[in-house]
Amino acid sequence: MKEIEKAYEAKMYEDSIYKMWEESGIFSPKVDPNKKPFTISMPPPNATGVLHLGHSSMLALEDAMIRYKRMQGFSALWLPGTDHAGIATQNRVEKNLLAKGITRQDLGREKFLEEVDKFVEKSRGTIRSQIRKMGASCDWSRERYTLDEGLSRAVREVFSRMYHDELIYRGSRIVNWCPRCGSTLADDEVEYQEQNAKLYHIKYQVKDSDKFVVVATVRPETMLGDSAVAVNPSDDRYKDLIGKILILPLQGREIPIIADEHVDLEFGTGALKLTPAHSIVDWEIGKKHGLKEFQVIDEEGKMTKSAGEKYAGLFAKEAQKQIIEDLIEQDLLVKTEELANKLSVCYRCKTAIEPLISKQWFVSVDKPIIQDGDKKKSLKEKAIEVVRNKEIEIIPEHFDKTYFNWMENLHDWCISRQLWFGHQIPVWYCDDCSEVIVQADEPSKCTKCGSEKLTRDPDVLDTWFSSGLWTFSTLGWPERTTDLEYFHPTSVLETGYDIIFFWVARMILMTTYALNTIPFEKVYLHGLIRTREGKKMSKSNPESCIDPLDMIDKYGTDALRLSFLIGSTPGNDMRLYEEKIAGYRNFVNKIWNASRFALMNIDNEAFESPFTTDDIISRADKWILTKLQYLIKDVTEDMENFRFSDAGTKIYNFTWCEYCDWYLEISKGKHLNPKVLLHVLEDVLKLIHPFIPFVTEVLWGNLNKDKMLIAESWPVFSKDLLFVEEVEEMEILHQIISDIRSVRSEYGVEPGKKIHATIYSGKYKNFLEEKKEPLMRMARIENLTILESGDKIDHAVCVFVGNVEVYLPLQELVDVEKERARLQKELDNIKPFAKSLESKLKNQSFVSNAPEAVIEKEKKRLFEVQQQIEKFEKQLNEL
């Protein structure tokens, strides 16, 4: 017999187990033409130092997928890495320097980037350690970084190709500008905050008239840059004024009244001030009508000279205050209203966004470029097509609609950022002839005039540009490496639904362009991790956040992994709190205890030869082996369809309920079959390994195996181990025992007390006679009579299990008179309470005024009380 420690202590094993795995080389798959590849490109955590719960959830899900496929015999590659995260990392380093009284400008670009590199190297070390702590079986030999030389080369190559294909261009367009970060932002990098703003109604005088048009705006500071006022052509209030000239308040400049069908008749006064230099909507209307652009706010968020001498140099908010005072003084402010609206802010620093016209680099998403048969398609069209025709499957499917909606409304992508840290744009300008040179390798001289005086564009690329190449650049592209040929397209992209636009869409855009193929076959979207109350975990509220490393230290990695895997479903948010993680430690402990109990009942001979069908002896053996086959089939199907919660729950229920509670109990003593016991334990450990790899590897080490569990094969469903007739008989036995236990519990029979029972067994007589010993032992029966049939027995509780009748004499269960008195007392106490609840719910005043949740709670209480009354009355009748 084999005995292991009574309790599983995660800290004792986890680091050494991980080291054993890593040093074995099992994480590093080979290019093997005889195996199918299975590839996951790990979403690279930002190089800012700390993994949060979202990363931990991702690691748990992806590791479960990769371990499962590895055990199935796939050449399973999980490629790790980190993202340089330009704006986020630069901001972090700038903050660290400011704490020492140093700015990046003090250091200059080169020395500042040296500081960033030091910070990133330290952060990447921390991230690696944290990923290992989660038990992630990723291939560290293939680890990548979005700024390493190979990926940088890929970025320059794609940029150059796109430029020469006229997909990348430089132009002046209105962009989202963050004055704090000093950089542009893509549309999906803009967040929106609810705010209570003021809506100012301002009079614009009609030229050569005493008439005014009243315009409503939440940003009076931008009026200084107005080019026109637009009205809807169907608006009767302004039909006679279309084409007239207005005098711009405080500026005295003449601007036209124009007609445009996009103007909302219901908002404000129906007259819309147009500031094309400071509003994306206004810019688009302005382009259509050929309006001039007056920039009155600069990149620092200050008013320009175009705003007028009085306001120039003021921050926009300061200018707004002064403008309101001046409008009041000139009797041009009609009224001010409160307005709930959304403020556009930077997703990184939460500073209010300032729309500005700026010269930037853009990717054209509408230009036909990708050859598809005899037709060329745009980046946008191709990216929509591959999802629509199911070349890429998004899980859950309802996110298709979200994806299509975003893609169909996609504008040209602004890819330049005014930062120092990141992929510097591979564009050089000739100082002598102004030639623009775009190529992957740095030029030594101008390709037009031969001058060596070249200046590189100072901007860097949007982080998502390099991240968009992640699945193929990490495998060696632009070289056609064996890794790229074998492992690409990748199998699954697992990521949060909140970055479907940031990352998923851009990967599809970039890969279909560069390789004319898809980046991945499936996209599995997990939800956000929320607090117990359903609130978003936020860094601004540290008390709401759970540190995954703290949880690992307290409860072990397996418990944390289970808290992400069980109870989670694709695309849905998940609530997580410490007690939940602690509960899954109990799950891990139960698996340990079940295995320990089994091992204590397995002798050494059972380890010496593999299990065969010749080892099957009893009906119980056949029952548990059949149940195991169905478990293997169900779990495999669940894993294939990403139903991890269902799979984990089924394995747990089988292990604890069927394997331990039933098979081990029924087989105790002379019926025990160590070979079957061991075979089932081995398969259970294999099935649950992707979920809880550490504890299962430790347990596997106690089974005298040559191979590690991580390297074992996934169990395969076998029809040869299905025994339908025996299963039917054993299910009858289980149900009889369960029902007798329920009756005992219902009547409060003490656990140690043995009772009498009579069973009319029908066709199961011989079988139940054979199983009389475990039936009596597990149901705590002292005297058991088994007959084929018989008359109804009075003064006994009767339960039916199919056609089998089980009679339990009441006098054996309880003192009848005492029990009758107890039940009557319970009824006397509970019935008045039920009546009061019924009256309350019939009271119209209560039903009309009480919150719906309170009414539902009272209805639930009444239902529960009525069930109790029904139960007590039934028991009284039986007595």
Side-chain angles (χ1 to χ4, degrees):
M1 303 301 174
K2 191 138 187 166
E3 189 163 355
I4 58 175
E5 291 87 352
K6 282 188 176 180
Y8 173 65
E9 295 291 341
K11 287 181 188 177
M12 285 175 56
Y13 302 103
E14 289 184 351
D15 289 346
S16 59
I17 290 283
Y18 193 90
K19 187 180 178 188
M20 175 184 74
W21 288 333
E22 190 174 349
E23 289 178 353
S24 75
I26 192 70
F27 296 171
S28 302
K30 304 291 186 289
V31 173
D32 185 345
N34 297 317
K35 286 185 175 184
K36 286 184 181 179
F38 180 85
T39 316
I40 298 177
S41 294
M42 182 187 292
N46 288 351
T48 46
V50 180
L51 289 184
H52 54 65
L53 282 174
H55 293 124
S56 302
S57 170
M58 170 269 287
L59 292 169
L61 284 160
E62 291 180 23
D63 194 46
M65 294 179 199
I66 214 80
R67 285 176 185 270
Y68 164 64
K69 286 295 179 181
R70 186 186 291 124
M71 292 175 81
Q72 277 196 318
F74 285 75
S75 194
L77 170 63
W78 187 15
L79 196 148
T82 40
D83 194 318
H84 67 281
I87 195 168
T89 305
Q90 179 162 317
N91 281 350
R92 178 69 67 86
V93 176
E94 282 193 70
K95 281 181 185 175
N96 293 348
L97 290 171
L98 279 173
K100 302 173 189 174
I102 305 168
T103 67
R104 65 182 165 108
Q105 287 77 13
D106 294 337
L107 293 176
R109 186 167 188 153
E110 192 174 331
K111 287 196 179 302
F112 174 73
L113 290 179
E114 286 175 13
E115 290 295 316
V116 176
D117 287 342
K118 285 182 206 169
F119 171 80
V120 167
E121 193 47 48
K122 184 179 176 185
S123 295
R124 289 182 69 206
T126 305
I127 288 167
R128 287 187 198 104
S129 171
Q130 292 170 340
I131 291 173
R132 285 182 167 96
K133 273 286 181 190
M134 280 298 297
S137 58
C138 50
D139 185 356
W140 293 108
S141 70
R142 287 180 169 97
E143 183 191 8
R144 303 307 296 266
Y145 171 49
T146 51
L147 266 180
D148 69 29
E149 182 45 47
L151 270 65
S152 296
R153 163 77 191 179
V155 167
R156 297 193 301 271
E157 184 67 34
V158 168
F159 186 98
S160 175
R161 291 187 189 186
M162 293 182 95
Y163 175 82
H164 292 294
D165 280 341
E166 298 181 355
L167 283 176
I168 286 180
Y169 65 92
R170 196 179 189 212
S172 292
R173 289 178 57 116
I174 194 149
V175 295
N176 304 299
W177 184 268
C178 174
R180 155 66 188 80
C181 297
S183 181
T184 57
L185 296 173
D187 290 345
D188 46 21
E189 292 175 318
V190 176
E191 291 184 351
Y192 299 92
Q193 292 179 353
E194 298 283 348
Q195 67 164 3
N196 292 316
K198 285 185 165 56
L199 186 65
Y200 300 96
H201 291 248
I202 302 165
K203 293 192 289 187
Y204 286 47
Q205 186 172 8
V206 180
K207 185 183 177 184
D208 300 329
S209 164
D210 58 358
K211 290 183 178 179
F212 291 87
V213 172
V214 177
V215 170
T217 180
V218 292
R219 297 201 66 197
E221 66 275 21
T222 64
M223 65 176 283
L224 305 175
D226 284 359
S227 299
V229 168
V231 297
N232 195 297
S234 64
D235 194 334
D236 292 335
R237 293 171 293 180
Y238 302 112
K239 272 187 175 175
D240 296 341
L241 292 173
I242 294 170
K244 301 282 187 186
I245 301 298
L246 297 174
I247 307 301
L248 183 62
L250 307 182
Q251 291 285 69
R253 193 171 71 247
E254 295 183 0
I255 59 173
I257 300 176
I258 64 171
D260 194 283
E261 63 276 6
H262 286 97
V263 177
D264 183 355
L265 283 78
E266 304 299 321
F267 179 76
T269 63
L272 177 71
K273 62 183 276 315
L274 295 176
T275 319
H278 297 289
S279 162
I280 290 170
V281 172
D282 295 3
W283 184 80
E284 289 175 345
I285 295 174
K287 281 292 174 194
K288 188 164 62 171
H289 293 275
L291 299 177
K292 287 184 179 179
E293 294 152 357
F294 300 93
Q295 185 168 339
V296 294
I297 301 172
D298 67 15
E299 293 169 351
E300 293 181 28
K302 292 180 178 179
M303 306 306 287
T304 66
K305 287 181 182 178
S306 298
E309 194 176 324
K310 184 173 186 179
Y311 310 110
L314 295 176
F315 281 105
K317 276 292 176 191
E318 297 170 338
Q320 183 187 96
K321 189 177 177 185
Q322 185 61 56
I323 287 165
I324 296 302
E325 289 176 8
D326 293 345
L327 288 170
I328 292 170
E329 189 179 317
Q330 295 183 31
D331 194 28
L332 294 174
L333 184 68
V334 177
K335 64 176 179 177
T336 304
E337 293 178 320
E338 294 292 325
L339 177 73
N341 74 343
K342 291 181 178 179
L343 177 68
S344 306
V345 298
C346 172
Y347 81 114
R348 281 294 171 194
C349 67
K350 311 306 177 191
T351 302
I353 292 299
E354 194 58 67
L356 296 177
I357 291 173
S358 179
K359 203 165 194 180
Q360 301 289 342
W361 290 95
F362 295 86
V363 170
S364 171
V365 296
D366 292 308
K367 179 183 172 65
I369 188 65
I370 300 171
Q371 195 68 45
D372 191 353
D374 57 356
K375 184 185 174 187
K376 285 189 175 180
K377 292 182 176 171
S378 69
L379 296 180
K380 187 159 85 175
E381 286 173 323
K382 189 65 179 175
I384 290 170
E385 179 188 89
V386 294
V387 175
R388 201 179 294 285
N389 68 16
K390 296 299 179 186
E391 285 182 63
I392 295 174
E393 180 188 357
I394 297 177
I395 303 163
E397 192 177 11
H398 66 78
F399 275 95
D400 282 9
K401 188 177 178 183
T402 312
Y403 174 84
F404 294 139
N405 184 55
W406 187 82
M407 271 294 184
E408 284 157 4
N409 291 287
L410 184 63
H411 299 296
D412 286 1
W413 171 19
C414 178
I415 55 171
S416 45
R417 299 290 182 270
Q418 290 61 53
L419 302 170
W420 286 357
F421 179 57
H423 291 280
Q424 194 168 349
I425 290 174
V427 174
W428 292 263
Y429 307 100
C430 178
D431 296 344
D432 289 336
C433 74
S434 302
E435 177 72 357
V436 178
I437 304 152
V438 179
Q439 58 186 58
D441 299 315
E442 186 169 359
S444 57
K445 59 185 179 181
C446 175
T447 52
K448 184 178 180 183
C449 73
S451 171
E452 293 181 1
K453 295 178 182 176
L454 302 177
T455 302
R456 190 168 184 178
D457 194 305
D459 289 354
V460 300
L461 286 165
D462 175 12
T463 301
W464 300 107
F465 189 94
S466 55
S467 300
L469 319 181
W470 185 246
T471 63
F472 61 91
S473 62
T474 52
L475 294 170
W477 190 92
E479 304 303 322
R480 299 302 299 188
T481 64
T482 52
D483 268 9
L484 182 65
E485 295 287 348
Y486 183 70
F487 289 112
H488 201 273
T490 63
S491 308
V492 181
L493 175 74
E494 190 286 326
T495 190
Y497 69 68
D498 53 328
I499 61 170
I500 188 170
F501 311 131
F502 284 114
W503 193 39
V504 177
R506 287 187 171 88
M507 292 173 89
I508 297 171
L509 284 171
M510 301 300 275
T511 312
T512 49
Y513 165 75
L515 276 70
N516 201 15
T517 188
I518 55 173
F520 29 71
E521 293 162 359
K522 296 180 191 295
V523 178
Y524 178 97
L525 299 172
H526 67 251
L528 300 176
I529 306 295
R530 296 191 176 274
T531 64
R532 184 201 303 271
E533 293 77 27
K535 293 177 182 174
K536 190 175 178 181
M537 290 194 181
S538 164
K539 291 176 189 172
S540 59
N541 181 15
E543 289 179 8
S544 74
C545 290
I546 292 174
D547 184 338
L549 293 181
D550 285 349
M551 296 301 100
I552 287 172
D553 188 57
K554 276 188 178 182
Y555 306 111
T557 301
D558 290 332
L560 182 62
R561 287 170 64 112
L562 279 174
S563 69
F564 294 125
L565 291 165
I566 296 186
S568 70
T569 50
N572 291 318
D573 293 349
M574 180 180 188
R575 299 186 183 197
L576 190 68
Y577 38 91
E578 189 167 342
E579 294 90 330
K580 185 176 180 181
I581 299 166
Y584 284 115
R585 180 185 58 183
N586 295 338
F587 183 119
V588 173
N589 287 341
K590 282 191 173 184
I591 295 291
W592 177 269
N593 291 337
S595 303
R596 181 174 180 270
F597 184 41
L599 284 167
M600 289 170 67
N601 287 281
I602 297 171
D603 55 36
N604 287 330
E605 286 181 20
F607 293 103
E608 290 172 6
S609 59
F611 167 81
T612 70
T613 52
D614 293 337
D615 295 314
I616 303 168
I617 299 168
S618 67
R619 279 187 175 84
D621 292 345
K622 291 178 179 179
W623 172 78
I624 195 66
L625 289 167
T626 303
K627 286 287 188 179
L628 177 64
Q629 297 319 299
Y630 289 133
L631 177 71
I632 291 167
K633 186 180 181 188
D634 286 352
V635 169
T636 303
E637 190 177 305
D638 286 337
M639 295 296 283
E640 286 296 324
N641 291 285
F642 305 96
R643 297 191 295 262
F644 305 112
S645 181
D646 290 350
T649 304
K650 286 171 186 173
I651 300 164
Y652 174 77
N653 288 339
F654 172 87
T655 307
W656 199 248
C657 301
E658 294 175 325
Y659 184 58
C660 292
D661 282 0
W662 288 107
Y663 180 67
L664 277 172
E665 284 298 313
I666 285 172
S667 303
K668 268 185 178 175
K670 63 178 182 177
H671 302 288
L672 188 66
N673 185 340
K675 295 291 287 188
V676 170
L677 197 61
L678 179 60
H679 172 72
V680 175
L681 177 61
E682 287 175 358
D683 275 1
V684 164
L685 292 177
K686 289 176 184 178
L687 291 171
I688 198 73
H689 176 72
F691 297 80
I692 46 175
F694 287 110
V695 67
T696 50
E697 192 69 76
V698 174
L699 289 165
W700 192 259
N702 284 280
L703 302 185
N704 300 351
K705 296 291 182 182
D706 297 328
K707 284 163 69 176
M708 299 177 295
L709 178 55
I710 192 176
E712 282 287 346
S713 297
W714 186 256
V716 177
F717 173 81
S718 171
K719 285 184 178 177
D720 293 339
L721 294 176
L722 294 180
F723 304 96
V724 178
E725 187 181 331
E726 288 83 351
V727 166
E728 182 189 333
E729 291 172 336
M730 291 298 292
E731 293 294 342
I732 289 287
L733 176 64
H734 293 171
Q735 197 58 54
I736 290 169
I737 295 169
S738 295
D739 286 354
I740 293 172
R741 285 174 172 177
S742 294
V743 170
R744 290 177 64 104
S745 172
E746 206 173 295
Y747 282 89
V749 179
E750 292 175 7
K753 182 180 177 181
K754 292 192 174 183
I755 60 173
H756 292 194
T758 298
I759 299 177
Y760 297 156
S761 56
K763 67 176 182 177
Y764 298 106
K765 186 174 186 301
N766 292 338
F767 164 68
L768 291 177
E769 287 284 5
E770 182 188 314
K771 293 297 178 187
K772 195 170 184 177
E773 184 278 322
L775 195 162
M776 293 177 69
R777 171 167 44 84
M778 295 174 74
R780 306 294 293 161
I781 295 171
E782 184 177 44
N783 192 317
L784 175 61
T785 303
I786 301 174
L787 302 170
E788 193 169 323
S789 62
D791 295 330
K792 181 178 180 293
I793 299 174
D794 293 330
H795 307 297
V797 176
C798 177
V799 290
F800 290 91
V801 180
N803 292 324
V804 175
E805 298 173 41
V806 180
Y807 289 93
L808 306 172
L810 280 168
Q811 67 269 22
E812 292 293 326
L813 300 176
V814 290
D815 181 318
V816 175
E817 290 307 317
K818 276 188 181 178
E819 183 64 9
R820 187 182 284 125
R822 183 188 73 81
L823 289 170
Q824 192 59 57
K825 188 177 178 183
E826 291 278 10
L827 280 169
D828 291 344
N829 288 333
I830 205 169
K831 280 185 174 180
F833 180 53
K835 270 196 169 183
S836 70
L837 284 174
E838 284 174 346
S839 301
K840 196 176 189 179
L841 288 165
K842 284 177 184 174
N843 185 321
Q844 202 56 45
S845 174
F846 171 73
V847 174
S848 302
N849 298 312
E852 193 175 330
V854 172
I855 295 170
E856 284 305 312
K857 188 178 177 183
E858 294 298 278
K859 283 181 178 178
K860 187 181 176 187
R861 286 172 74 190
L862 177 59
F863 176 72
E864 288 169 354
V865 168
Q866 285 171 337
Q867 279 195 317
Q868 280 183 292
I869 290 170
E870 193 178 315
K871 176 186 164 186
F872 292 148
E873 286 179 340
K874 177 176 175 283
Q875 288 179 347
L876 261 178
N877 288 334
E878 286 172 347
L879 289 171

